[in-house]
Amino acid sequence: MVGCVIADDERVVGEGWHGRYGGPHAEVEAIRAAGDAAAGATMYVTLEPCCHQGKTPPCTDAVIESGVRRVVVGGRDPFREVDGGGIARLTQACLEVDVGLNEREAAWLNAPYLKLVETGRPWILAKWAMTLDGKSATRTGNSQWISGESSRRVVHEIRGRMDAIMVGRGTALADDPLLTARPAGARTATRVVVDSQASLAPDSQLVDTIDQAPVLVACSSLAPDTNRRRLADAGCEVWVSDARDPSERLLGLLDELGRRRMTNVLIEGGGQLAGSLFDAAAVDEVHVFIANKLVGGADAPTPLAGTGIELMSQAVTLYEPTFELLDGDIYQHGRTDTAAERLFARIGQQA
């Protein structure tokens, strides 16, 4: 999520942003928009320009060739092939370089990318719908539909921005979901099922639509070979973990998704999966749809299971949450305070 503006005094002469993976970077797009007007102007960019050959040529070369005289950078890029090298390259070319303007805002914008680079794990978004009394289904397990059509449209928009969408075995069995964005978004998410026994049904909607989006089943090495082969023959990728502890397997899966350069992963259910990630302090962002409904029932499930916290003083809160009314549903969204603290610690600021 990198943006760039080129300005001659107070007049904006070019703007650009990184629209897609492998596409031109923000600086290049802004330089193209500015044309000859870039010469002698100031470039403002939210992240340090790259100085290496990746999917695209080094942005520093394009910046130098454009004739820009000054570059204002929101924050350094921690990627090992950049990490100060872009700033050094511009400085060596006798450009004036200022670093740290609106660093907090730039880091907030780039939080998923920064987490992936620095921890090797993707940014985890948890989404759920629940009733006013905090239930994600009735006591019989029925959950369609808790939220309204407007809320579900927002969910599809979120799905369209994800690299992966993850559910547990119970949700895959009970809801038989598709987990696709409708209409399709900018990205086609890999659908991930956390299923220790590799028991996902071959006739499930996930397997039936394998031609629309990939399916990855994450299982234990103790899963029956017949189950694994059946899913593999159906076109699913079967990822096997040797870890005996379910929490270790789950965190190992996050490491694997990070190795695949997946930046944004959406957790859609169920309560045990979301709760396990919550217990591991792995949830970075929350999207909650609260329906104007009451269902009751001591046995009705809640969105977050797992172990949970011991004291109310340990409760996770959302940092700068937003609220929206969607045809009777309350949509609350925000990043967790733990994610904010981790992010701002890297730039020496307090959340």
Side-chain angles (χ1 to χ4, degrees):
M1 297 294 292
V2 180
C4 180
V5 171
I6 300 175
D8 184 1
D9 291 328
E10 295 184 1
R11 183 172 66 94
V12 173
V13 297
E15 299 180 5
W17 65 289
H18 187 199
R20 64 179 179 83
Y21 180 66
H25 287 188
E27 300 93 323
V28 172
E29 293 283 22
I31 290 168
R32 288 176 180 171
D36 293 340
T42 297
M43 171 180 286
Y44 301 87
V45 62
T46 56
L47 190 68
E48 176 182 5
C50 67
C51 55
H52 67 294
Q53 177 68 49
K55 293 287 184 181
T56 62
C59 286
T60 49
D61 292 356
V63 173
I64 293 167
E65 292 170 5
S66 74
V68 163
R69 67 171 180 84
R70 178 174 176 241
V71 180
V72 180
V73 178
R76 285 175 54 157
D77 186 342
F79 185 59
R80 64 181 180 276
E81 295 188 57
V82 184
D83 199 12
I87 294 168
R89 176 75 181 92
L90 296 175
T91 302
Q92 290 164 4
C94 299
L95 274 69
E96 180 183 349
V97 182
D98 296 309
V99 182
L101 178 66
N102 292 340
E103 184 177 20
R104 183 188 184 94
E105 291 83 354
W108 198 238
L109 180 67
N110 286 299
Y113 166 75
L114 295 174
K115 182 189 177 187
L116 178 64
V117 171
E118 294 178 337
T119 72
R121 289 178 178 170
W123 186 263
I124 302 299
L125 304 88
K127 161 263 163 184
W128 63 78
M130 67 181 187
T131 60
L132 282 174
D133 51 341
K135 307 298 185 181
S136 57
T138 67
R139 60 181 173 78
T140 63
N142 179 259
S143 62
Q144 296 184 349
W145 297 101
I146 295 175
S147 57
E149 291 186 7
S150 295
S151 295
R152 296 198 292 275
R153 277 196 295 270
V154 172
V155 171
H156 284 287
E157 291 171 4
I158 296 170
R159 286 178 177 177
R161 303 195 300 267
M162 296 295 108
D163 298 303
I165 300 170
M166 188 184 300
V167 297
R169 181 196 64 82
T171 296
L173 176 64
D175 296 347
D176 192 21
L178 277 171
L179 303 181
T180 54
R182 301 181 294 278
R187 302 182 186 184
T188 299
T190 296
R191 299 169 293 175
V192 180
V193 182
V194 180
D195 182 357
S196 63
Q197 295 300 303
S199 58
L200 180 66
D203 60 350
S204 65
Q205 290 198 93
L206 289 170
V207 178
D208 282 345
T209 57
I210 199 79
D211 58 329
Q212 297 180 25
V215 174
L216 185 152
V217 177
C219 69
S220 162
S221 58
L222 300 178
D225 289 339
T226 53
N227 288 2
R228 293 191 236 172
R229 284 197 300 270
R230 182 174 62 244
L231 291 173
D233 290 344
C236 299
E237 178 181 359
V238 180
W239 180 81
V240 181
S241 171
D242 291 329
R244 292 292 184 264
D245 181 72
S247 296
E248 289 183 23
R249 287 200 299 272
L250 186 56
L251 295 179
L253 174 60
L254 297 187
D255 290 333
E256 175 62 22
L257 298 181
R259 280 190 287 272
R260 299 181 185 209
R261 311 306 294 168
M262 292 187 178
T263 308
N264 294 279
V265 174
L266 179 65
I267 310 303
E268 286 229 18
Q272 190 58 52
L273 175 61
S276 296
L277 289 165
F278 176 81
D279 290 342
V283 176
D284 301 296
E285 186 171 330
V286 173
H287 296 259
V288 180
F289 301 86
I290 306 170
N292 186 30
K293 299 175 181 177
L294 298 166
V295 300
D299 295 329
T302 59
L304 281 180
T307 302
I309 61 169
E310 182 178 356
L311 302 173
M312 191 58 66
S313 59
Q314 300 170 333
V316 173
T317 59
L318 297 189
Y319 180 79
E320 296 182 347
T322 63
F323 302 86
E324 187 177 350
L325 194 62
L326 299 174
D327 294 336
D329 295 340
I330 298 172
Y331 171 36
Q332 182 168 347
H333 157 248
R335 292 170 169 179
T336 63
D337 54 3
T338 52
E341 288 167 4
R342 182 185 63 242
L343 178 68
F344 294 137
R346 70 177 297 274
I347 58 176
Q349 296 190 22
Q350 295 294 317

